Amino acid sequence: MRPDFIAERRRELQIYINTVLMNPILASSLPAKRFVDPDSYSQSFHDQAVQNALLCLRSEGLWSLGTTLGAIGWRLRKHYFKVTPKPPDSKSSSKALVKSGSQTHAHVKQSSVTGSGSNGSKSDHANDSSHTEATELVLEWLEYGPDKYIEDKELGGILKCLVNMQHPNIESPKYAAHNENGCLVIRKFHKHGSLKDILCMATPKNPFLSKYGNPKGRTALSMKQVAIYGKQILDVLIFLHSKGYPYGHLHSGNIVIVDDCVKLLDVENYILGVPSFYRPFFVQHGKIYKSEAIDVYCFGHILFEMSMGYPMQESVARQITDCPDVLKHLLESILSKEACKSGLPSLEQLSNHEFFKEYSASETCRKSSEDDIARSQFKLSINAKEAIKLAIQKTENRLREEQKSVKNQKRIVRVQELMSCEEEKRKSKHKAKQDHKQLKLKQQISLQNSNGKVALASVGHGGGSITESSDTTSRSLNRMNSIIGNNDSQDMLHDIKSPPLTPSAYQTCNESETRQQQKTSLMQASPVVSVDRQSSSPNIASDENESAEPERSALLESICKFNRGSLRKIRSND
């Protein structure tokens, strides 16, 4: 629970969360969503999807809902079910034969309002039953997203136009319906899977995380395939934008390859307001907010994944290698940091790039373009076009606001990092000063302790010398008495001038000693006194007295037994 340890763990956890959220596959998974926002993702989305799907199918009674396919997609609120067409009822068919034109027209109108995509009649569905029985169908239920700005009345008409749309590179839905909670779409299921399944060598019906989270193998396409598929994707995007309808959801999971022909899925996602797969990436770049720029940016990611065999894990390409120079130039014009800051090229400019002219076969491109012109059909009413145009403006405005908030948040994070760095520097500097003071204090304490130990050892050693010299005390006193008895030494004592008064010079061992004995001892110890004044401690003198004469030992003993209270007041002749 140390504060520095907790702060370090918080920083490391933030780095880990940022890394997870920058991976679209992990960021869209339910465990990651529940960890970041547990309150919003604690409900059961599957049960709600079953209820809404049954309600939408009950109004027409043309399809029967089958078992679920599991989490084969990356969206949490998009669910996949098996679906089969119901056999035609004899009673209903007989009733359909006697309907008048007005009743049939009313039924068509009611179907368009509810979002039915079967041309509003059950007879059309019966004509297509032979074709649908041979192919496997899948039902998709998807809830509305935050960018849903089209009213329900106009939404039904647009869904009907999408069902009736004809284009060789678009997989149109077979049936479409909606209610106040979401939209239901029935389309053909491709057994070979999407382009992402091909690149990851995965089985289409396996769960999304097991397929793409850690794939067992990856494969890249040849440069010719990349050029052919890329050119077809650009052509269909140009076609949709020419009709005033942006795609906005281009990624490898929404592309299927049928006989070297690209087909786009989920063309209805834009009007449902759901977020794009690469939204966490382009929300970081303020220049990418237009619908065409979003499709161009997503196309760059598709081109990179097809040529490299693995997807990008960042919003920009740091370094592009292992590809021809012409492809490298094309990828850098879309995915480089400079391109995302300055602006991306248009779809027409990408379509005329040298890469597609060099690697794609001219005959194939010419044949596909002729087929597109002959078979393409996508008609929208004036009200539908106005509603889509208004929805595009609102979607772009919301994206710009979100980009501004992301930019401000990044600025706040940078400021906090700078402040934390300055705070860490200040704390480390203060800690260094405290450590220096403590080290200096420890050195002083250790020095004082060492000096004290040396002094105690010296005193003990000097005491030992004093006890050793106690045997010579009596002999030194006798010798001093003999010196006092000599008259010549007394005459010599009168001629010597006494030194200044010091406690060590006038120290006595007994109060009964005479002044004459003090003068005699002073005369004998005069060289020793000068040494004692120069020494800093008595143990130095004791070390010198170990090899000196016995008189000096006697004087040292008298010094150690010095008592200040026994001194008498005298007058000096000085």
Side-chain angles (χ1 to χ4, degrees):
M1 298 301 293
R2 297 194 311 271
D4 55 347
F5 178 76
I6 294 176
E8 181 181 0
R9 290 298 297 272
R10 289 180 63 185
R11 289 193 296 268
E12 297 296 332
L13 180 60
Q14 187 63 51
I15 295 173
Y16 171 76
I17 293 177
N18 293 339
T19 306
V20 170
L21 296 181
M22 284 303 295
N23 189 335
I25 297 176
L26 296 178
S28 59
S29 63
L30 185 59
K33 297 282 190 181
R34 285 180 175 174
F35 179 80
V36 177
D37 190 4
D39 296 334
S40 301
Y41 295 94
S42 60
Q43 54 185 334
S44 177
F45 300 105
H46 181 265
D47 297 338
Q48 298 179 0
V50 172
Q51 295 177 2
N52 287 286
L54 290 175
L55 289 176
C56 289
L57 295 178
R58 186 181 301 174
S59 60
E60 293 293 333
L62 302 177
W63 307 88
S64 60
L65 187 66
T67 59
T68 179
L69 295 178
I72 62 175
W74 66 277
R75 296 186 188 273
L76 299 179
R77 291 181 170 85
K78 188 171 185 178
H79 303 267
Y80 302 84
F81 302 91
K82 292 182 179 180
V83 64
T84 56
K86 289 183 178 181
D89 191 4
S90 59
K91 294 182 180 180
S92 61
S93 61
S94 62
K95 291 181 180 179
L97 293 176
V98 297
K99 280 187 178 181
S100 61
S102 59
Q103 291 175 342
T104 305
H105 178 71
H107 182 70
V108 171
K109 184 176 181 181
Q110 182 180 1
S111 301
S112 64
V113 172
T114 57
S116 65
S118 59
N119 294 333
S121 63
K122 298 180 182 180
S123 59
D124 295 338
H125 171 72
N127 294 331
D128 296 337
S129 61
S130 59
H131 177 71
T132 56
E133 287 177 357
T135 60
E136 185 178 0
L137 300 176
V138 58
L139 184 146
E140 303 172 359
W141 168 259
L142 179 61
E143 296 183 11
Y144 296 131
D147 290 326
K148 194 259 182 182
Y149 300 109
I150 300 178
E151 297 181 358
D152 294 342
K153 183 178 180 179
E154 296 294 337
L155 184 61
I158 297 174
L159 289 174
K160 182 181 177 181
C161 295
L162 293 176
V163 170
N164 296 327
M165 180 174 56
Q166 296 179 3
H167 195 281
N169 299 120
I170 295 178
E171 186 67 41
S172 301
K174 303 295 182 183
Y175 176 83
H178 71 96
N179 58 14
E180 65 276 4
N181 297 321
C183 178
L184 181 145
V185 174
I186 298 176
R187 59 168 41 94
K188 180 182 177 182
F189 181 79
H190 297 271
K191 297 181 180 180
H192 299 288
S194 63
L195 176 62
K196 197 172 191 66
D197 294 326
I198 297 175
L199 297 176
C200 296
M201 295 186 291
T203 304
K205 291 186 179 181
N206 286 343
F208 183 80
L209 282 180
S210 64
K211 289 189 296 184
Y212 313 129
N214 188 16
K216 297 181 180 180
R218 292 185 180 275
T219 181
L221 303 180
S222 63
M223 289 296 104
K224 183 177 180 180
Q225 289 176 327
V226 172
I228 293 175
Y229 299 158
K231 186 66 169 59
Q232 293 179 8
I233 293 172
L234 288 176
D235 291 341
V236 69
L237 292 177
I238 293 173
F239 169 76
L240 290 175
H241 281 275
S242 65
K243 300 297 182 178
Y245 188 91
Y247 185 55
H249 293 270
L250 183 64
H251 63 90
S252 57
N254 280 345
I255 301 174
V256 293
I257 308 297
V258 180
D259 298 332
D260 285 338
C261 182
V262 169
K263 289 184 178 294
L264 299 186
L265 306 177
D266 295 346
V267 290
E268 71 279 354
N269 281 355
Y270 192 87
I271 59 176
L272 301 181
V274 293
S276 174
F277 183 77
Y278 293 111
R279 187 181 181 87
F281 286 165
F282 60 75
V283 77
Q284 304 179 33
H285 305 286
K287 293 290 184 178
I288 306 176
Y289 67 93
K290 293 289 186 180
S291 58
E292 184 178 1
I294 292 173
D295 284 335
V296 169
Y297 180 79
C298 296
F299 173 76
H301 278 267
I302 293 297
L303 207 62
F304 183 92
E305 189 173 358
M306 288 192 300
S307 58
M308 302 299 175
Y310 56 90
M312 287 178 53
Q313 300 296 334
E314 294 182 317
S315 62
V316 295
R318 304 293 179 182
Q319 187 176 4
I320 301 175
T321 56
D322 300 333
C323 66
D325 293 337
V326 62
L327 177 59
K328 180 180 178 181
H329 179 268
L330 177 60
L331 292 175
E332 288 178 348
S333 65
I334 303 174
L335 300 176
S336 65
K337 188 176 181 180
E338 293 76 12
C340 293
K341 285 185 177 181
S342 59
L344 303 182
S346 63
L347 293 172
E348 293 288 346
Q349 293 175 351
L350 293 178
S351 180
N352 297 325
H353 197 270
E354 293 294 331
F355 172 74
F356 302 106
K357 297 179 180 179
E358 181 177 351
Y359 285 93
S360 61
S362 59
E363 295 181 359
T364 305
C365 294
R366 189 181 302 110
K367 184 178 179 181
S368 61
S369 62
E370 291 176 358
D371 292 340
D372 291 342
I373 295 174
R375 299 172 55 185
S376 299
Q377 181 180 355
F378 184 36
K379 296 181 180 180
L380 291 171
S381 63
I382 298 177
N383 295 333
K385 290 182 179 180
E386 292 295 331
I388 293 174
K389 185 177 180 180
L390 183 60
I392 292 174
Q393 295 178 357
K394 293 182 179 180
T395 302
E396 292 177 353
N397 292 335
R398 197 182 80 88
L399 177 59
R400 295 191 68 180
E401 294 295 330
E402 190 172 350
Q403 289 173 343
K404 290 179 181 179
S405 63
V406 170
K407 186 177 180 179
N408 294 334
Q409 185 65 28
K410 286 184 177 181
R411 187 183 295 110
I412 292 173
V413 170
R414 287 196 297 267
V415 172
Q416 290 178 352
E417 289 178 353
L418 293 175
M419 293 178 63
S420 62
C421 291
E422 294 294 334
E423 185 69 18
E424 291 294 334
K425 289 180 181 180
R426 188 184 65 81
K427 288 183 179 179
S428 60
K429 189 175 181 180
H430 180 70
K431 186 177 180 181
K433 289 183 179 180
Q434 294 294 332
D435 294 341
H436 181 69
K437 289 182 180 179
Q438 292 179 1
L439 181 61
K440 191 173 181 181
L441 182 61
K442 288 180 180 179
Q443 291 177 355
Q444 293 178 356
I445 294 174
S446 61
L447 182 61
Q448 292 178 0
N449 292 336
S450 61
N451 291 335
K453 291 179 180 179
V454 171
L456 292 174
S458 301
V459 171
H461 185 68
S465 63
I466 292 174
T467 56
E468 291 175 358
S469 64
S470 61
D471 296 335
T472 61
T473 303
S474 58
R475 290 184 295 175
S476 63
L477 291 176
N478 294 331
R479 191 171 182 180
M480 289 171 67
N481 290 331
S482 63
I483 293 173
I484 291 173
N486 193 355
N487 293 328
D488 296 335
S489 60
Q490 289 180 358
D491 295 335
M492 188 182 296
L493 185 62
H494 289 291
D495 297 332
I496 299 174
K497 186 177 180 180
S498 61
L501 298 176
T502 58
S504 61
Y506 294 98
Q507 180 180 359
T508 59
C509 298
N510 194 354
E511 293 182 358
S512 61
E513 293 182 354
T514 60
R515 183 181 182 82
Q516 189 68 25
Q517 292 176 348
Q518 293 177 357
K519 291 181 180 181
T520 304
S521 63
L522 178 63
M523 181 180 64
Q524 296 291 334
S526 58
V528 181
V529 171
S530 61
V531 176
D532 186 45
R533 288 178 180 178
Q534 295 176 0
S535 62
S536 60
S537 60
N539 47 327
I540 299 177
S542 64
D543 293 336
E544 295 176 355
N545 292 336
E546 289 180 359
S547 61
E549 296 178 357
E551 289 81 359
R552 298 175 66 182
S553 299
L555 181 59
L556 183 58
E557 182 180 3
S558 64
I559 291 173
C560 292
K561 294 181 179 181
F562 169 72
N563 188 5
R564 185 176 181 183
S566 62
L567 296 178
R568 291 182 300 172
K569 294 181 181 181
I570 60 174
R571 292 182 179 182
S572 174
N573 294 329
D574 298 339

